[in-house]
Amino acid sequence: MWGYLIWCEDGMKGQLAEKNIGGVRFLALETGAPQHFWSRRRLRRQLEEMYHAGVRNVVRQGAVPTGLLREFGMTGVDVAPLRQALLPQMLNWAETKWQMPLKSGCVRLYAEQTDRRAWRAAEVIARRVRYMELDTGRGADVLERDLRRRYGLGSGGQPILEVCLARRPRGGCPVLLAGTGCGSGQSMQWQIPSMGEVPEELLAALLQSEKLEIETVQLKSVEFRA
């Protein structure tokens, strides 16, 4: 079961409640910063209940304190797989909203290793650009040759954009973060026409549960980071 923790500014006290969102079961809690001993004790008990109910991954909404879930053996939902699945929309955003000439420019793909994620991202980027700089560690030369053969992709030039699948970007140009922990480094807002704006971690949980129709998700905003 997934968890859903909504952190409220007013510190309101809520009860643990099971919710069905998009066909996925969540154990949800609305709470906030505890103001005294009894409220801290209550929050600890509720988080322990979530863990003992089998929750390990929690959708976080609001300013959930860093490290709170880890103390109870749980973690926030990683949005990296969601962003990698929606990379075409992120590139569209860079091209149209940030006015980046991708068709004639160079895009850097930065990853810690040339794994399946890097291959998929490289193929998405290769369909959109003329030049690509691959910084994906061992195996990058094999990937580069494959892209050149299939897409006629060139190398060289100063990157105008970096797509980062690593934990931290290499830097030197604007970046789209899509690696582990990327949600804390660059905010993105998404919406589904039938639901309006949906928290990114909730979309990621639905995707991992195979309950998300990826083609219905629309990018609403991206924080510019360079």
Side-chain angles (χ1 to χ4, degrees):
M1 183 185 292
W2 297 88
Y4 199 148
L5 182 58
I6 302 171
W7 199 259
C8 306
E9 292 288 338
D10 57 7
M12 66 178 292
K13 302 173 184 177
Q15 298 289 335
L16 281 171
E18 189 171 319
K19 294 184 177 181
N20 187 301
I21 305 175
V24 178
R25 291 169 60 224
F26 291 86
L27 190 56
L29 173 65
E30 289 190 38
T31 187
Q35 303 299 317
H36 48 72
F37 170 78
W38 293 110
S39 59
R40 287 194 295 272
R41 184 174 178 178
R42 174 191 175 93
L43 176 58
R44 291 186 65 87
R45 188 181 70 249
Q46 290 173 321
L47 292 174
E48 287 171 352
E49 286 181 28
M50 290 180 76
Y51 178 84
H52 290 304
V55 172
R56 297 296 180 270
N57 296 286
V58 180
V59 172
R60 298 164 295 180
Q61 184 174 328
V64 178
T66 302
L68 176 65
L69 293 175
R70 186 166 57 249
E71 182 181 350
F72 294 90
M74 297 179 288
T75 186
V77 179
D78 187 12
V79 301
L82 176 76
R83 292 190 182 184
Q84 291 161 22
L86 292 167
L87 182 56
Q89 287 201 49
M90 293 160 59
L91 292 172
N92 284 343
W93 185 276
E95 189 169 38
T96 59
K97 302 297 184 180
W98 294 350
Q99 299 296 304
M100 292 188 170
L102 300 186
K103 293 181 176 65
S104 59
C106 176
V107 172
R108 175 194 300 135
L109 176 61
Y110 182 48
E112 293 161 349
Q113 54 185 333
T114 311
D115 55 11
R116 188 180 304 173
R117 300 174 309 132
W119 276 81
R120 284 198 299 259
E123 289 173 344
V124 171
I125 297 168
R127 298 185 186 104
R128 305 289 301 272
V129 303
R130 181 65 185 90
Y131 303 99
M132 189 188 305
E133 177 187 307
L134 287 172
D135 188 349
T136 60
R138 187 175 182 179
D141 54 339
V142 177
L143 175 56
E144 184 175 356
R145 287 196 298 270
D146 182 73
L147 295 175
R148 188 181 298 116
R149 176 181 60 82
R150 291 196 290 150
Y151 300 101
L153 199 65
S155 59
Q158 181 67 27
I160 60 173
L161 178 69
E162 175 182 324
V163 174
C164 176
L165 303 186
R167 289 183 176 273
R168 293 180 179 83
R170 183 171 143 187
C173 62
V175 63
L176 293 170
L177 297 181
T180 301
C182 59
S184 61
Q186 183 179 42
S187 65
M188 297 187 187
Q189 280 74 48
W190 307 85
Q191 63 184 8
I192 296 177
S194 61
M195 299 173 65
E197 186 174 333
V198 182
E200 190 174 35
E201 289 193 6
L202 176 56
L203 289 176
L206 295 177
L207 177 66
Q208 292 182 46
S209 301
E210 299 182 346
K211 295 293 185 181
L212 180 66
E213 295 180 11
I214 200 73
E215 64 275 4
T216 66
V217 182
Q218 300 172 352
L219 185 55
K220 188 177 180 182
S221 70
V222 179
E223 176 187 8
F224 184 81
R225 176 169 173 177

